[in-house]
Amino acid sequence: MSNSASSSPLPVSPNSFTTEREFREEVIYFIIVDRFFDATSDEEERRGLWDRGETSGLYDKTWTQWGKYWGGNLLGIIEKIPYLQSLGVTAVWLSPLFEQVDDMQYDRTPMHGYWTKDFKRINPRFLPTDDSNSLYQSNTIRKLVDSLHAADIKLILDVVCNHSSPDINGVKGRVFDDGKLLCDYNDDSEGFYHHNPEITDWEDEYQLINHEMCGLATFNENNPAYRCYIKQAIREWLDIGVDALRVDTLKHMPVWFWQEFTADIKSYKPGIFMFGEYGFGKPWDRRTVQYANHSGMSILDFGLCDAIRFAFSGQQEGGFRLVESLLQHDHVYYRANELVTFIDNHDMPRFLSVCSSQRSLEQALILLFCLRGVPCVFYGTEQYLVNNTDGGNDPYNRPMMESWSIDSNCFSLLDSLISIRRQNQALTFGSHRQVYVSEHIYAFMRTYRDCHALCVLNKGPATQVQLDLGGHFGTSDLTCMLTDAIFPIVDGRLSIALESGSAHLFSSPGERVTGAVVATFQINGIETQPGQRIVITGDCPELGGWDLYRAYGMEYVNRNTWICEVGFRESVNTAIRFKYAVVDDTGYAAIREDILPRQLVLPSTGRQKVDSVWQVT
């Protein structure tokens, strides 16, 4: 095998790589801006502030008319950043901030943010009266970004590309470009919109993409002028400091559109994390997997959400077996560990509306934070926020946030879970192994390098179980991170008495990979056999200088995914070449990628993230 090839230093743009921590290590907190916090204390000032739009009467300060604005605003979020810091969240996803049609359809305003009027301006109802709603002139939006970043919290913008607004008093789909009329559904000579009836067959792909959802004016993605406008609008939001994007209604636009959109956005801001809403998609649905793997972004994990809710609510039989069964499909995704996971959101009743037990909510959160993916918490969950009117369906799943206690059991639990998760990479990168599963009991282990975590839940009657730990935690006693209870390990097994409603989490964080540059490599698209493993071989010392027996070993995640972090010191500020190989226990190459080597430019410091799909000619 050849010796390490020499690499001449290359100039590295500071924007050509990400220096932020892995988004798999983030914890997202989802806020409906209008329902979070009103920073205006004076009632008369508040009344004038929230009727500042084109139409009066859209604000209800009594919080009884659920379709109207209730007064949450950006200054309110800024004021509550210390609260978010205390909770430990590292990213906030805000409901859409774009300027909305300032009118009501029946009894509803666009307080939710999905009837956009101008993608390059801010909803004035979220701003003080003396502030401009121009994106580049608003002092409030810059203060929000700066304040979040000062607290080490990322800002996630909710992006709506599929549609604008429905017919309201004869006006439909009238959209502006920073104040200048761009298009009008009722006078659409430039073809900005599809003009089709509503979707009637939700299994028909043509209807999903070309027909209307809920009467919303549906953009024509084939129009280059539209595509230029929406991408430029998002680039302007990125310019003010937005860190990540949540993308609405993924399934209602074709994959090619998202591929172009994500490519252009990531070209403008390399390393940006994006995740989309493929509504109620499941891993056994071909189209869901196609969008997750080929759109250029991750997706929200509705499959896991349903499994967790059903496990605790009993609306489907199977209990925890439903969760384990869902996870057995992880191999269909290229990046299952980047799926954004949740137990409720603004499109469904809150967890406490389908399962009223607060202890069940706490157990569900423990489960969420211990499974793969990026956990997302709906605002108020830490305060047991719920309204069960009409079963808690929209809009009653969006109550006003009223409690800010940092002493509630759920707040303290989330604070602990976030801390444990951030410390132990087994919970962010690791493989999943079932240790014990029944309808009421679930024990599973997460493993990455020398990092291990064990989660044990019992939602049924008290019982005793013995768990085979496979030697992962050594022979020392184990201390539960949630209860401080101590349990002995005997002959590699943990014998544990489980009270009804109990939960235990054992964590062994291990050592992190270090280096001037730490690169996370992930490979998908090849299924290994027992006794095989995947390595990275390359032309630099850190990857063994093309010597396969010194290649860098990767960690198993699932049968379609391997991952590793490599610490680079000698090869920083250079371009390296590498490829992947499957080897057996002796280190002999069973299979090599049949391609010319891949190339990666390493910066001088920071983190890199490399997602690869196995290639053969």
Short mmCIF file of all heavy atoms in Angstrom, two decimals, residues 26-32 36 83-84 87-94 156 275 300 340-346 350 361 364-366 368-369 374-385 401 410-411 413-415 417-418 421:
data_model
loop_
_atom_site.label_atom_id
_atom_site.label_comp_id
_atom_site.label_asym_id
_atom_site.label_seq_id
_atom_site.Cartn_x
_atom_site.Cartn_y
_atom_site.Cartn_z
N GLU A 26 -27.71 19.24 20.03
CA GLU A 26 -28.57 20.35 20.43
C GLU A 26 -29.87 19.84 21.06
O GLU A 26 -30.27 18.69 20.87
CB GLU A 26 -28.92 21.23 19.22
CG GLU A 26 -27.74 21.72 18.43
CD GLU A 26 -26.89 22.75 19.17
OE1 GLU A 26 -27.26 23.15 20.29
OE2 GLU A 26 -25.85 23.15 18.63
N VAL A 27 -30.54 20.72 21.80
CA VAL A 27 -31.87 20.48 22.32
C VAL A 27 -32.73 21.67 21.89
O VAL A 27 -32.41 22.82 22.18
CB VAL A 27 -31.87 20.34 23.86
CG1 VAL A 27 -33.30 20.23 24.38
CG2 VAL A 27 -31.04 19.15 24.28
N ILE A 28 -33.81 21.38 21.18
CA ILE A 28 -34.66 22.42 20.58
C ILE A 28 -35.87 22.69 21.47
O ILE A 28 -36.48 21.75 22.01
CB ILE A 28 -35.13 21.98 19.17
CG1 ILE A 28 -33.92 21.70 18.26
CG2 ILE A 28 -36.03 23.03 18.55
CD1 ILE A 28 -34.30 21.08 16.92
N TYR A 29 -36.20 23.96 21.57
CA TYR A 29 -37.40 24.39 22.30
C TYR A 29 -38.27 25.15 21.31
O TYR A 29 -37.85 26.17 20.75
CB TYR A 29 -37.00 25.27 23.47
CG TYR A 29 -38.10 25.65 24.44
CD1 TYR A 29 -38.46 24.80 25.48
CD2 TYR A 29 -38.75 26.88 24.34
CE1 TYR A 29 -39.44 25.16 26.40
CE2 TYR A 29 -39.73 27.25 25.25
CZ TYR A 29 -40.08 26.39 26.29
OH TYR A 29 -41.04 26.75 27.20
N PHE A 30 -39.48 24.65 21.04
CA PHE A 30 -40.36 25.20 20.01
C PHE A 30 -41.36 26.17 20.63
O PHE A 30 -42.15 25.79 21.50
CB PHE A 30 -41.07 24.06 19.29
CG PHE A 30 -42.11 24.50 18.29
CD1 PHE A 30 -42.01 25.69 17.60
CD2 PHE A 30 -43.20 23.68 18.03
CE1 PHE A 30 -42.97 26.08 16.69
CE2 PHE A 30 -44.17 24.05 17.12
CZ PHE A 30 -44.06 25.26 16.45
N ILE A 31 -41.33 27.42 20.16
CA ILE A 31 -42.16 28.48 20.72
C ILE A 31 -43.16 29.00 19.68
O ILE A 31 -42.77 29.35 18.57
CB ILE A 31 -41.28 29.66 21.19
CG1 ILE A 31 -40.39 29.24 22.36
CG2 ILE A 31 -42.14 30.86 21.58
CD1 ILE A 31 -39.38 30.32 22.76
N ILE A 32 -44.44 29.04 20.05
CA ILE A 32 -45.42 29.83 19.29
C ILE A 32 -45.30 31.25 19.81
O ILE A 32 -45.68 31.54 20.95
CB ILE A 32 -46.86 29.29 19.50
CG1 ILE A 32 -46.96 27.82 19.12
CG2 ILE A 32 -47.85 30.13 18.69
CD1 ILE A 32 -46.77 27.52 17.66
N PHE A 36 -46.30 32.99 23.91
CA PHE A 36 -45.22 32.75 24.87
C PHE A 36 -45.18 33.82 25.96
O PHE A 36 -45.49 33.54 27.11
CB PHE A 36 -43.88 32.67 24.13
CG PHE A 36 -42.76 32.12 24.96
CD1 PHE A 36 -42.84 30.85 25.50
CD2 PHE A 36 -41.61 32.86 25.19
CE1 PHE A 36 -41.81 30.33 26.28
CE2 PHE A 36 -40.56 32.35 25.95
CZ PHE A 36 -40.67 31.08 26.50
N TYR A 83 -34.64 32.37 31.48
CA TYR A 83 -35.45 31.19 31.79
C TYR A 83 -35.04 30.02 30.89
O TYR A 83 -34.88 28.88 31.37
CB TYR A 83 -36.93 31.53 31.59
CG TYR A 83 -37.89 30.35 31.68
CD1 TYR A 83 -38.35 29.91 32.90
CD2 TYR A 83 -38.32 29.71 30.52
CE1 TYR A 83 -39.23 28.83 32.98
CE2 TYR A 83 -39.20 28.64 30.59
CZ TYR A 83 -39.66 28.21 31.82
OH TYR A 83 -40.53 27.15 31.90
N LEU A 84 -34.86 30.29 29.59
CA LEU A 84 -34.45 29.24 28.66
C LEU A 84 -33.05 28.73 29.00
O LEU A 84 -32.77 27.54 28.89
CB LEU A 84 -34.49 29.78 27.23
CG LEU A 84 -35.86 30.23 26.71
CD1 LEU A 84 -35.73 30.87 25.33
CD2 LEU A 84 -36.84 29.05 26.66
N LEU A 87 -33.26 26.34 31.85
CA LEU A 87 -33.75 25.05 31.41
C LEU A 87 -32.66 24.26 30.71
O LEU A 87 -32.64 23.02 30.77
CB LEU A 87 -34.95 25.25 30.49
CG LEU A 87 -35.71 24.01 30.03
CD1 LEU A 87 -36.25 23.22 31.21
CD2 LEU A 87 -36.87 24.41 29.09
N GLY A 88 -31.76 24.97 30.02
CA GLY A 88 -30.64 24.31 29.37
C GLY A 88 -30.79 24.11 27.88
O GLY A 88 -29.92 23.49 27.26
N VAL A 89 -31.89 24.61 27.27
CA VAL A 89 -32.07 24.43 25.84
C VAL A 89 -30.97 25.17 25.08
O VAL A 89 -30.46 26.19 25.54
CB VAL A 89 -33.46 24.89 25.37
CG1 VAL A 89 -34.53 24.07 26.04
CG2 VAL A 89 -33.68 26.37 25.64
N THR A 90 -30.62 24.65 23.90
CA THR A 90 -29.52 25.23 23.13
C THR A 90 -29.96 25.80 21.79
O THR A 90 -29.16 26.38 21.08
CB THR A 90 -28.43 24.18 22.89
OG1 THR A 90 -28.96 23.11 22.08
CG2 THR A 90 -27.91 23.62 24.20
N ALA A 91 -31.24 25.62 21.44
CA ALA A 91 -31.76 26.18 20.19
C ALA A 91 -33.25 26.44 20.37
O ALA A 91 -33.96 25.63 20.99
CB ALA A 91 -31.54 25.22 19.03
N VAL A 92 -33.73 27.58 19.85
CA VAL A 92 -35.16 27.87 19.89
C VAL A 92 -35.69 27.93 18.46
O VAL A 92 -35.13 28.61 17.60
CB VAL A 92 -35.50 29.17 20.64
CG1 VAL A 92 -35.23 29.02 22.12
CG2 VAL A 92 -34.76 30.36 20.07
N TRP A 93 -36.73 27.16 18.23
CA TRP A 93 -37.47 27.21 16.97
C TRP A 93 -38.68 28.09 17.20
O TRP A 93 -39.52 27.79 18.03
CB TRP A 93 -37.83 25.78 16.56
CG TRP A 93 -39.00 25.60 15.63
CD1 TRP A 93 -39.57 26.53 14.81
CD2 TRP A 93 -39.74 24.39 15.44
NE1 TRP A 93 -40.62 25.98 14.11
CE2 TRP A 93 -40.75 24.67 14.48
CE3 TRP A 93 -39.65 23.11 15.98
CZ2 TRP A 93 -41.66 23.69 14.06
CZ3 TRP A 93 -40.55 22.14 15.55
CH2 TRP A 93 -41.55 22.44 14.60
N LEU A 94 -38.74 29.20 16.47
CA LEU A 94 -39.85 30.13 16.60
C LEU A 94 -40.84 29.92 15.47
O LEU A 94 -40.45 29.70 14.31
CB LEU A 94 -39.35 31.58 16.56
CG LEU A 94 -38.31 31.98 17.62
CD1 LEU A 94 -37.99 33.47 17.50
CD2 LEU A 94 -38.80 31.65 19.02
N ILE A 156 -33.71 29.13 15.26
CA ILE A 156 -34.21 28.34 14.14
C ILE A 156 -35.40 29.07 13.53
O ILE A 156 -36.40 29.34 14.22
CB ILE A 156 -34.64 26.93 14.59
CG1 ILE A 156 -33.47 26.22 15.28
CG2 ILE A 156 -35.16 26.12 13.41
CD1 ILE A 156 -33.86 24.89 15.91
N PHE A 275 -34.23 21.00 8.86
CA PHE A 275 -35.12 19.86 9.02
C PHE A 275 -36.52 20.26 8.57
O PHE A 275 -36.95 21.40 8.75
CB PHE A 275 -35.13 19.33 10.46
CG PHE A 275 -35.62 20.30 11.50
CD1 PHE A 275 -36.91 20.23 12.00
CD2 PHE A 275 -34.77 21.29 12.02
CE1 PHE A 275 -37.36 21.11 12.99
CE2 PHE A 275 -35.21 22.18 13.00
CZ PHE A 275 -36.51 22.09 13.48
N LEU A 300 -38.79 15.87 10.64
CA LEU A 300 -39.39 15.61 11.95
C LEU A 300 -39.86 14.16 12.00
O LEU A 300 -40.45 13.65 11.04
CB LEU A 300 -40.57 16.56 12.17
CG LEU A 300 -40.18 18.01 12.48
CD1 LEU A 300 -41.29 18.97 12.05
CD2 LEU A 300 -39.90 18.18 13.96
N VAL A 340 -35.46 14.89 13.89
CA VAL A 340 -35.87 15.73 15.01
C VAL A 340 -37.06 15.06 15.68
O VAL A 340 -38.10 14.83 15.06
CB VAL A 340 -36.20 17.16 14.55
CG1 VAL A 340 -36.77 17.98 15.70
CG2 VAL A 340 -34.95 17.82 13.97
N THR A 341 -36.89 14.72 16.96
CA THR A 341 -37.86 13.91 17.67
C THR A 341 -38.68 14.75 18.64
O THR A 341 -38.20 15.76 19.17
CB THR A 341 -37.14 12.77 18.43
OG1 THR A 341 -36.18 13.33 19.33
CG2 THR A 341 -36.41 11.86 17.44
N PHE A 342 -39.89 14.31 18.93
CA PHE A 342 -40.81 15.10 19.75
C PHE A 342 -41.94 14.21 20.23
O PHE A 342 -42.15 13.10 19.69
CB PHE A 342 -41.36 16.28 18.95
CG PHE A 342 -42.09 15.89 17.68
CD1 PHE A 342 -43.47 15.90 17.63
CD2 PHE A 342 -41.39 15.50 16.55
CE1 PHE A 342 -44.15 15.51 16.47
CE2 PHE A 342 -42.04 15.12 15.37
CZ PHE A 342 -43.43 15.13 15.33
N ILE A 343 -42.69 14.67 21.23
CA ILE A 343 -43.85 13.92 21.69
C ILE A 343 -45.15 14.68 21.45
O ILE A 343 -46.23 14.11 21.62
CB ILE A 343 -43.74 13.55 23.19
CG1 ILE A 343 -43.57 14.79 24.07
CG2 ILE A 343 -42.57 12.58 23.41
CD1 ILE A 343 -43.63 14.51 25.56
N ASP A 344 -45.05 15.94 21.05
CA ASP A 344 -46.23 16.72 20.64
C ASP A 344 -45.77 18.00 19.97
O ASP A 344 -44.60 18.39 20.07
CB ASP A 344 -47.17 17.02 21.82
CG ASP A 344 -46.49 17.71 23.00
OD1 ASP A 344 -45.34 18.17 22.85
OD2 ASP A 344 -47.10 17.79 24.08
N ASN A 345 -46.69 18.64 19.25
CA ASN A 345 -46.40 19.93 18.64
C ASN A 345 -47.69 20.67 18.35
O ASN A 345 -48.77 20.27 18.83
CB ASN A 345 -45.51 19.79 17.39
CG ASN A 345 -46.22 19.10 16.23
OD1 ASN A 345 -47.44 18.94 16.21
ND2 ASN A 345 -45.44 18.67 15.25
N HIS A 346 -47.63 21.72 17.55
CA HIS A 346 -48.78 22.58 17.30
C HIS A 346 -49.81 21.99 16.36
O HIS A 346 -50.87 22.59 16.15
CB HIS A 346 -48.29 23.92 16.75
CG HIS A 346 -47.51 23.81 15.47
ND1 HIS A 346 -46.57 22.85 15.27
CD2 HIS A 346 -47.54 24.56 14.33
CE1 HIS A 346 -46.03 22.99 14.06
NE2 HIS A 346 -46.60 24.01 13.48
N ARG A 350 -51.70 18.19 22.77
CA ARG A 350 -50.54 18.02 23.62
C ARG A 350 -50.56 16.63 24.27
O ARG A 350 -51.61 16.00 24.40
CB ARG A 350 -50.48 19.10 24.70
CG ARG A 350 -50.05 20.46 24.14
CD ARG A 350 -50.07 21.53 25.20
NE ARG A 350 -49.55 22.80 24.65
CZ ARG A 350 -48.32 23.23 24.81
NH1 ARG A 350 -47.45 22.54 25.53
NH2 ARG A 350 -47.95 24.38 24.28
N LEU A 361 -45.98 11.80 31.33
CA LEU A 361 -45.29 12.83 30.55
C LEU A 361 -43.81 12.84 30.89
O LEU A 361 -42.96 12.91 29.99
CB LEU A 361 -45.90 14.20 30.84
CG LEU A 361 -45.15 15.41 30.26
CD1 LEU A 361 -45.17 15.37 28.72
CD2 LEU A 361 -45.72 16.73 30.77
N ALA A 364 -42.15 9.88 29.35
CA ALA A 364 -42.05 10.05 27.89
C ALA A 364 -40.89 10.97 27.53
O ALA A 364 -40.19 10.73 26.54
CB ALA A 364 -43.36 10.61 27.34
N LEU A 365 -40.66 12.00 28.33
CA LEU A 365 -39.54 12.90 28.08
C LEU A 365 -38.20 12.19 28.32
O LEU A 365 -37.23 12.39 27.58
CB LEU A 365 -39.65 14.15 28.95
CG LEU A 365 -40.77 15.12 28.56
CD1 LEU A 365 -40.96 16.17 29.65
CD2 LEU A 365 -40.48 15.78 27.22
N ILE A 366 -38.13 11.38 29.36
CA ILE A 366 -36.91 10.60 29.61
C ILE A 366 -36.62 9.71 28.41
O ILE A 366 -35.48 9.64 27.92
CB ILE A 366 -37.06 9.77 30.90
CG1 ILE A 366 -37.15 10.69 32.12
CG2 ILE A 366 -35.88 8.80 31.05
CD1 ILE A 366 -37.60 9.99 33.40
N LEU A 368 -37.66 10.15 25.31
CA LEU A 368 -37.31 11.00 24.17
C LEU A 368 -35.85 11.40 24.21
O LEU A 368 -35.15 11.35 23.19
CB LEU A 368 -38.20 12.24 24.18
CG LEU A 368 -38.01 13.23 23.03
CD1 LEU A 368 -38.61 12.68 21.75
CD2 LEU A 368 -38.63 14.58 23.36
N PHE A 369 -35.36 11.78 25.36
CA PHE A 369 -33.98 12.28 25.48
C PHE A 369 -32.95 11.16 25.46
O PHE A 369 -31.77 11.44 25.25
CB PHE A 369 -33.84 13.13 26.75
CG PHE A 369 -34.22 14.57 26.53
CD1 PHE A 369 -35.55 14.93 26.44
CD2 PHE A 369 -33.25 15.54 26.39
CE1 PHE A 369 -35.91 16.25 26.22
CE2 PHE A 369 -33.59 16.86 26.17
CZ PHE A 369 -34.93 17.22 26.08
N VAL A 374 -32.60 14.37 17.48
CA VAL A 374 -32.45 15.68 18.11
C VAL A 374 -33.76 16.01 18.81
O VAL A 374 -34.76 16.29 18.15
CB VAL A 374 -32.11 16.76 17.07
CG1 VAL A 374 -31.88 18.11 17.75
CG2 VAL A 374 -30.91 16.35 16.24
N PRO A 375 -33.82 16.00 20.15
CA PRO A 375 -35.11 16.19 20.83
C PRO A 375 -35.60 17.63 20.75
O PRO A 375 -34.83 18.58 20.87
CB PRO A 375 -34.80 15.79 22.28
CG PRO A 375 -33.33 16.00 22.43
CD PRO A 375 -32.73 15.71 21.09
N CYS A 376 -36.91 17.75 20.56
CA CYS A 376 -37.56 19.06 20.49
C CYS A 376 -38.70 19.07 21.51
O CYS A 376 -39.56 18.19 21.51
CB CYS A 376 -38.09 19.30 19.09
SG CYS A 376 -38.98 20.86 18.89
N VAL A 377 -38.71 20.09 22.36
CA VAL A 377 -39.72 20.24 23.42
C VAL A 377 -40.66 21.38 23.05
O VAL A 377 -40.22 22.48 22.72
CB VAL A 377 -39.05 20.52 24.78
CG1 VAL A 377 -40.10 20.75 25.86
CG2 VAL A 377 -38.11 19.39 25.16
N PHE A 378 -41.96 21.12 23.07
CA PHE A 378 -42.98 22.14 22.79
C PHE A 378 -43.10 23.07 24.00
O PHE A 378 -43.12 22.61 25.14
CB PHE A 378 -44.30 21.44 22.51
CG PHE A 378 -45.34 22.29 21.83
CD1 PHE A 378 -45.01 23.42 21.10
CD2 PHE A 378 -46.68 21.92 21.89
CE1 PHE A 378 -45.98 24.18 20.47
CE2 PHE A 378 -47.67 22.67 21.25
CZ PHE A 378 -47.31 23.80 20.55
N TYR A 379 -43.17 24.37 23.73
CA TYR A 379 -43.18 25.36 24.81
C TYR A 379 -44.22 25.00 25.88
O TYR A 379 -45.31 24.55 25.59
CB TYR A 379 -43.45 26.76 24.26
CG TYR A 379 -44.92 27.04 23.98
CD1 TYR A 379 -45.71 27.75 24.88
CD2 TYR A 379 -45.53 26.59 22.80
CE1 TYR A 379 -47.06 28.00 24.63
CE2 TYR A 379 -46.86 26.84 22.54
CZ TYR A 379 -47.63 27.54 23.46
OH TYR A 379 -48.95 27.77 23.22
N GLY A 380 -43.84 25.18 27.14
CA GLY A 380 -44.75 24.96 28.25
C GLY A 380 -44.80 23.54 28.76
O GLY A 380 -45.37 23.29 29.83
N THR A 381 -44.21 22.60 28.03
CA THR A 381 -44.22 21.21 28.49
C THR A 381 -43.60 21.10 29.88
O THR A 381 -44.08 20.34 30.73
CB THR A 381 -43.45 20.31 27.49
OG1 THR A 381 -44.10 20.36 26.23
CG2 THR A 381 -43.38 18.88 27.98
N GLU A 382 -42.55 21.88 30.10
CA GLU A 382 -41.85 21.82 31.39
C GLU A 382 -42.71 22.37 32.53
O GLU A 382 -42.38 22.18 33.71
CB GLU A 382 -40.53 22.59 31.31
CG GLU A 382 -40.66 24.10 31.24
CD GLU A 382 -41.04 24.67 29.88
OE1 GLU A 382 -41.37 23.88 28.97
OE2 GLU A 382 -41.03 25.91 29.74
N GLN A 383 -43.83 23.03 32.19
CA GLN A 383 -44.77 23.54 33.20
C GLN A 383 -46.10 22.77 33.17
O GLN A 383 -47.08 23.23 33.73
CB GLN A 383 -45.02 25.03 32.97
CG GLN A 383 -43.77 25.89 32.98
CD GLN A 383 -43.08 25.93 34.35
OE1 GLN A 383 -43.68 25.57 35.36
NE2 GLN A 383 -41.83 26.35 34.37
N TYR A 384 -46.12 21.62 32.49
CA TYR A 384 -47.33 20.80 32.35
C TYR A 384 -48.46 21.58 31.68
O TYR A 384 -49.64 21.39 31.98
CB TYR A 384 -47.80 20.25 33.70
CG TYR A 384 -46.75 19.51 34.48
CD1 TYR A 384 -46.11 20.10 35.57
CD2 TYR A 384 -46.38 18.21 34.13
CE1 TYR A 384 -45.14 19.42 36.30
CE2 TYR A 384 -45.41 17.53 34.86
CZ TYR A 384 -44.79 18.13 35.94
OH TYR A 384 -43.84 17.46 36.65
N LEU A 385 -48.13 22.46 30.74
CA LEU A 385 -49.11 23.30 30.08
C LEU A 385 -50.05 22.45 29.22
O LEU A 385 -49.60 21.63 28.42
CB LEU A 385 -48.40 24.33 29.20
CG LEU A 385 -49.28 25.35 28.46
CD1 LEU A 385 -49.97 26.28 29.47
CD2 LEU A 385 -48.42 26.18 27.49
N MET A 401 -48.59 30.76 27.64
CA MET A 401 -47.62 30.34 28.66
C MET A 401 -47.84 31.22 29.89
O MET A 401 -47.73 32.45 29.80
CB MET A 401 -46.21 30.52 28.11
CG MET A 401 -45.11 30.09 29.03
SD MET A 401 -44.84 28.32 28.99
CE MET A 401 -43.27 28.25 29.85
N CYS A 410 -41.09 18.81 36.35
CA CYS A 410 -40.76 18.60 34.94
C CYS A 410 -39.63 19.52 34.49
O CYS A 410 -38.76 19.10 33.71
CB CYS A 410 -42.01 18.82 34.07
SG CYS A 410 -41.89 18.08 32.44
N PHE A 411 -39.62 20.75 34.97
CA PHE A 411 -38.52 21.67 34.65
C PHE A 411 -37.20 21.09 35.14
O PHE A 411 -36.21 21.04 34.40
CB PHE A 411 -38.77 23.04 35.29
CG PHE A 411 -37.76 24.09 34.90
CD1 PHE A 411 -38.06 25.03 33.94
CD2 PHE A 411 -36.50 24.14 35.50
CE1 PHE A 411 -37.14 26.01 33.57
CE2 PHE A 411 -35.57 25.10 35.15
CZ PHE A 411 -35.89 26.04 34.18
N LEU A 413 -36.50 18.00 35.83
CA LEU A 413 -36.18 16.79 35.08
C LEU A 413 -35.55 17.13 33.74
O LEU A 413 -34.51 16.56 33.36
CB LEU A 413 -37.45 15.97 34.86
CG LEU A 413 -37.29 14.75 33.94
CD1 LEU A 413 -36.35 13.73 34.56
CD2 LEU A 413 -38.65 14.13 33.63
N LEU A 414 -36.14 18.07 33.00
CA LEU A 414 -35.59 18.45 31.70
C LEU A 414 -34.20 19.05 31.85
O LEU A 414 -33.31 18.78 31.03
CB LEU A 414 -36.53 19.43 30.99
CG LEU A 414 -37.69 18.80 30.23
CD1 LEU A 414 -38.66 19.87 29.74
CD2 LEU A 414 -37.19 17.97 29.06
N ASP A 415 -34.02 19.85 32.85
CA ASP A 415 -32.69 20.43 33.12
C ASP A 415 -31.66 19.31 33.28
O ASP A 415 -30.56 19.35 32.71
CB ASP A 415 -32.78 21.30 34.37
CG ASP A 415 -31.44 21.96 34.71
OD1 ASP A 415 -30.62 22.14 33.80
OD2 ASP A 415 -31.23 22.29 35.88
N LEU A 417 -31.96 16.08 32.24
CA LEU A 417 -31.85 15.30 31.01
C LEU A 417 -30.97 15.99 29.98
O LEU A 417 -30.15 15.36 29.30
CB LEU A 417 -33.24 15.03 30.43
CG LEU A 417 -34.12 14.05 31.18
CD1 LEU A 417 -35.53 14.04 30.59
CD2 LEU A 417 -33.54 12.65 31.16
N ILE A 418 -31.16 17.30 29.85
CA ILE A 418 -30.35 18.05 28.89
C ILE A 418 -28.89 18.00 29.27
O ILE A 418 -28.01 17.79 28.42
CB ILE A 418 -30.85 19.51 28.80
CG1 ILE A 418 -32.26 19.55 28.18
CG2 ILE A 418 -29.89 20.37 27.99
CD1 ILE A 418 -32.93 20.91 28.27
N ARG A 421 -27.51 14.46 28.62
CA ARG A 421 -27.41 14.21 27.18
C ARG A 421 -26.23 14.94 26.56
O ARG A 421 -25.54 14.41 25.69
CB ARG A 421 -28.72 14.62 26.49
CG ARG A 421 -28.78 14.25 25.02
CD ARG A 421 -30.13 14.63 24.42
NE ARG A 421 -30.18 14.18 23.03
CZ ARG A 421 -29.69 14.86 22.01
NH1 ARG A 421 -29.10 16.02 22.23
NH2 ARG A 421 -29.78 14.40 20.78
#
